[in-house]
Amino acid sequence: MIGHCALFTEGGYLHRDISNGNIVRLVQPPRSDWKIPPLLHGVVTSNECSAVLIDGDVAKKWGSPAQASDRSGTLPFISAGLADAWEKNQAIIHTPIDDLESFAWVLLYDALAWTPASERTITEDSWWRKINQDTLTSLVDFKRLLLAVDLGSRVGGLEEGLSGILNAFKPLIHAWFLMANEFAVAHKQLLRKQRDENEFTGLYHDAYKAFISVGLEQCAALPDTPIKSLYED
């Protein structure tokens, strides 16, 4: 997310294809020669880098005609709003908020993938099947329900229904899903009111700071435990 923020706020490009294949963990020890984008000064206090965002093949210059009209993204990870627009063949407005939501879908997808099939709950097994489907209509329904309800507002009711990995990451996924909803709604309101570009930019900046600060906070609170031991008595 920090790299995505730098690409957008410093370079003026939107990545538009956040997926688990485009986030690469560095094999070497973390590097400490990376610059924190000015927007995140005070939010990010360490310049150590252990992973990078790659593959800018579909990145577009922000504000260009192509940025506003071209479809891009990988189905399991695209935002619920983009999936809905694709399914309805509506105009595409791909924003940093969509890409930030995609990071949350990447975390959910990988948490499900890391969970042994034999250890997944019935709920998680259903999520795994649905997040991998290639029918847009079904994918939209799944993403909307999970984003707004199951792992959004109703997450507390799922405490007893999640396996080890999902339970560990649940607070972060929940927080990011709630933020994705809130910022998507705020963006729609700005579009309806036809606000100027400065207000949209301010919203995107607020989204970066909110997603990244909560991500750092929740990651620091994760148990310092090997993943496999989450399934051991």
Side-chain angles (χ1 to χ4, degrees):
M1 281 188 180
I2 296 170
H4 190 284
C5 178
L7 180 68
F8 182 76
T9 61
E10 298 300 294
Y13 280 85
L14 184 63
H15 189 278
R16 305 195 323 142
D17 190 17
I18 303 303
S19 67
N20 59 354
N22 288 340
I23 300 172
V24 178
R25 190 169 184 272
L26 300 178
V27 176
Q28 301 298 324
R31 293 179 58 174
S32 57
D33 56 346
W34 301 96
K35 293 182 179 179
I36 300 170
L39 176 67
L40 299 179
H41 287 176
V43 175
V44 178
T45 57
S46 171
N47 65 346
E48 285 194 347
C49 175
S50 58
V52 294
L53 182 63
I54 65 168
D55 194 357
D57 287 355
V58 296
K60 298 293 183 182
K61 188 71 175 176
W62 182 251
S64 67
Q67 176 272 319
S69 60
D70 286 3
R71 296 183 180 186
S72 67
T74 306
L75 283 182
F77 314 111
I78 61 173
S79 71
L82 286 180
D84 187 49
W86 287 17
E87 195 272 331
K88 294 176 180 176
N89 201 28
Q90 294 177 338
I92 303 298
I93 303 176
H94 196 145
T95 75
I97 295 170
D98 292 296
D99 278 6
L100 288 170
E101 182 185 321
S102 290
F103 281 103
W105 289 110
V106 167
L107 177 56
L108 174 62
Y109 186 97
D110 276 358
L112 289 167
W114 295 333
T115 304
S118 61
E119 299 289 344
R120 288 191 200 118
T121 66
I122 294 174
T123 296
E124 291 166 2
D125 198 49
S126 174
W127 290 349
W128 181 244
R129 292 195 309 272
K130 290 177 179 178
I131 202 171
N132 282 292
Q133 60 197 343
D134 55 9
T135 303
L136 262 178
T137 301
S138 300
L139 188 64
V140 168
D141 292 341
F142 162 69
K143 282 181 176 281
R144 286 294 190 197
L145 178 62
L146 202 65
L147 185 71
V149 181
D150 288 343
L151 278 174
S153 61
R154 204 174 65 190
V155 68
L158 293 172
E159 285 187 13
E160 303 302 323
L162 296 179
S163 61
I165 294 178
L166 265 295
N167 205 45
F169 283 105
K170 183 188 66 178
L172 177 53
I173 297 173
H174 170 53
W176 276 349
F177 274 14
L178 286 179
M179 287 181 181
N181 275 316
E182 292 168 0
F183 280 105
V185 169
H187 190 264
K188 287 181 180 178
Q189 291 174 342
L190 290 183
L191 286 173
R192 282 197 296 268
K193 296 176 181 178
Q194 298 182 333
R195 298 298 190 182
D196 63 38
E197 186 61 30
N198 288 334
E199 291 187 74
F200 285 98
T201 300
L203 182 67
Y204 303 147
H205 288 186
D206 288 345
Y208 277 120
K209 289 186 283 189
F211 270 82
I212 291 170
S213 62
V214 167
L216 292 172
E217 175 186 331
Q218 292 294 337
C219 284
L222 287 170
D224 187 16
T225 308
I227 285 176
K228 67 177 182 179
S229 67
L230 293 171
Y231 297 99
E232 296 172 354
D233 293 334

